[in-house]
Amino acid sequence: MEHLINPRVTDIQISGIRKISNLVSQYNDAVTLTIGQPDFPTPEHILRAGERAIAEHRTTYTPNPGLPELRQAASQFVEKKYGLRYGGTDEIIVTAGASQALDITLRTILTEGSEVILPGPIYPGYEPLVKLCGGVPVYADTRRTGFKLTAELLEPLLTVRTRAVLLCYPSNPTGRVLAEDELKGIADLLVSRNVFVISDEIYSELIYDGEHRSIAALPGMRDKTIVINGLSKSHSMTGWRIGFTLAPAYLTQHMVKVHQYNVTCASSISQYAAIEALTAGIDDALPMKAEYIKRRDFVYERLTSMGFELDKPEGAFYLFPSIERFGLSSMEFTLKLLETEKVAVVPGDAFSEYGEGFIRISYAYSVDNLEKAMERLERFVGRL
């Protein structure tokens, strides 16, 4: 019966991130720098809010787009933090994580053959969602522009079939951030075109040099932009599965239909905890960010002292050093490092073909683990 399965599903591959993570369990005393998950616990006051929701039996369905008070809290949060203005009643949907937010967005705007431009290297979760919708991923090679999508890279890729451009900054896997003039260049190119922008801003609270700027805040861009965000990275709430779409009402009214038949609503308990996160916990990311900066600087300095070439990331919690000088593919380098020194990183080709020749290192781990991993990595490259 397997031949009856949707070929769009059978063609999808398991994420390269997960492949390596699954291998780690076979090695005792392995140090893993693979998963993009904060190592901080969810703040205590958010846990208490979740517990109160359970104790008060707030365990029923919520309105499909989410609790009104949560959508209002999200509206106030993004306005205060990023100058974005979205109505809590008709322009915000609470989703089961940012991944589901992306899914309902793409299902709403894509038709068969629609093209979506992706800056490569890029998080591997986007391409399968595009393909499941019958869309066509089109990659922009950002390796020569410091892993930043520019208007100059983007313009020749635009066709009559282009339905959307996906921005994901701060970037997974590179940690790069688009400066305001770079965002403006893209906005100037797209403002008069019938092309949507999907702006995945899940790492918006983890920008280390300057402040987060959304393309949706630029003139003429709000009505064609869908902003994706959530609490997984900012509040260390990965398992709570709370994300958001922020989009103009004409889009949101259709996206909520897809959401309704997809998951009905996000977890009620998680939604009540999310209200606490966005109100009393509006600055919960600050102490985590301070620690990430220390970790970034430590790992960056260690890598450069070993001779690795890499751009210093301005956000998220990843570094993406080149390994080309070692003459190994990214997968060969990753497997040898794991086998000989028991350090797990992610091969760059997990992030599209444009990530070949690089590895991704997550520094969302304790300093002790980072120190141990850097010692082992230095020993490894010393033998190559």
Side-chain angles (χ1 to χ4, degrees):
M1 299 290 286
E2 188 174 357
H3 67 285
L4 300 178
I5 296 173
N6 184 342
R8 289 179 181 165
V9 175
T10 57
D11 288 346
I12 290 174
Q13 302 299 312
I14 298 297
S15 162
I17 302 171
R18 291 294 173 183
K19 286 180 182 178
I20 296 299
S21 298
N22 293 340
L23 276 176
V24 174
S25 62
Q26 302 175 23
Y27 296 85
N28 294 325
D29 194 32
V31 180
T32 179
L33 305 179
T34 58
I35 298 297
Q37 174 168 259
D39 66 320
F40 301 97
T42 301
E44 191 71 19
H45 67 105
I46 298 175
L47 297 179
R48 299 288 81 80
E51 290 175 352
R52 286 195 300 273
I54 295 172
E56 294 169 7
H57 304 288
R58 297 184 176 186
T59 55
T60 60
Y61 294 128
T62 73
N64 295 131
L67 292 166
E69 54 266 51
L70 175 54
R71 285 179 277 146
Q72 188 59 37
S75 174
Q76 293 170 352
F77 183 92
V78 297
E79 181 172 5
K80 180 175 181 179
K81 291 279 187 173
Y82 317 128
L84 295 174
R85 295 185 177 181
Y86 288 94
T89 58
D90 59 353
E91 295 187 315
I92 296 175
I93 302 172
V94 183
T95 60
S99 295
Q100 196 238 339
L102 285 162
D103 183 47
I104 66 170
T105 297
L106 292 166
R107 290 198 201 196
T108 301
I109 66 173
L110 297 187
T111 54
E112 194 73 27
S114 297
E115 294 178 353
V116 180
I117 298 176
L118 308 172
I122 193 171
Y123 172 66
Y126 302 116
E127 180 180 320
L129 293 179
V130 171
K131 288 183 174 179
L132 283 171
C133 295
V136 179
V138 176
Y139 281 95
D141 183 355
T142 66
R143 290 174 294 185
R144 292 182 177 83
T145 55
F147 300 119
K148 295 185 177 188
L149 183 64
T150 65
E152 292 72 25
L153 278 179
L154 179 58
E155 186 169 18
L157 299 176
L158 295 169
T159 73
V160 295
R161 294 178 298 279
T162 304
R163 183 64 53 83
V165 175
L166 196 146
L167 302 180
C168 45
Y169 296 98
S171 164
N172 175 7
T174 68
R176 301 311 308 275
V177 172
L178 293 185
E180 185 160 359
D181 63 323
E182 294 165 330
L183 279 174
K184 187 176 184 302
I186 295 173
D188 289 345
L189 176 65
L190 297 178
V191 69
S192 61
R193 298 174 186 257
N194 291 323
V195 174
F196 291 110
V197 175
I198 303 169
S199 188
D200 185 349
E201 303 178 16
I202 191 67
Y203 294 98
S204 59
E205 283 294 278
L206 300 180
I207 285 188
Y208 310 127
D209 306 305
E211 297 181 352
H212 177 67
R213 184 68 162 159
S214 174
I215 196 169
L218 298 183
M221 295 305 293
R222 185 187 185 278
D223 280 350
K224 59 172 53 196
T225 300
I226 304 101
V227 175
I228 307 294
N229 215 317
L231 301 182
S232 290
K233 317 299 183 179
S234 59
H235 290 75
S236 196
M237 293 176 67
T238 52
W240 296 80
R241 308 312 301 136
I242 291 292
F244 303 97
T245 63
L246 303 100
Y250 81 88
L251 264 173
T252 299
Q253 67 175 326
H254 296 293
M255 291 164 60
V256 76
K257 292 184 288 187
V258 182
H259 171 73
Q260 173 186 358
Y261 293 113
N262 186 307
V263 299
T264 303
C265 64
S267 157
S268 62
I269 297 162
S270 296
Q271 288 191 59
Y272 283 106
I275 295 170
E276 177 76 10
L278 293 178
T279 54
I282 190 169
D283 290 324
D284 278 353
L286 294 180
M288 291 185 262
K289 182 164 73 170
E291 182 61 27
Y292 288 138
I293 291 173
K294 295 176 185 177
R295 298 177 187 181
R296 174 198 66 172
D297 291 346
F298 167 73
V299 180
Y300 177 80
E301 289 166 8
R302 286 300 308 272
L303 290 173
T304 54
S305 71
M306 296 179 211
F308 283 97
E309 295 181 3
L310 70 157
D311 295 294
K312 191 172 187 178
E314 302 99 340
F317 33 62
Y318 310 106
L319 298 110
F320 204 60
S322 171
I323 58 163
E324 285 188 357
R325 70 187 181 94
F326 300 110
L328 299 172
S329 72
S330 59
M331 181 59 80
E332 289 171 337
F333 185 99
T334 298
L335 292 177
K336 286 181 180 291
L337 176 61
L338 181 58
E339 291 166 359
T340 61
E341 291 294 344
K342 297 181 181 179
V343 175
V345 298
V346 182
D349 66 355
F351 305 96
S352 83
E353 64 182 282
Y354 302 103
E356 181 52 68
F358 299 86
I359 57 171
R360 191 193 76 173
I361 294 172
S362 169
Y363 51 90
Y365 293 91
S366 70
V367 172
D368 286 345
N369 274 353
L370 294 174
E371 288 176 344
K372 187 184 299 184
M374 290 303 104
E375 289 172 4
R376 295 181 183 186
L377 177 60
E378 186 169 29
R379 192 162 58 227
F380 175 73
V381 299
R383 294 195 303 267
L384 292 178

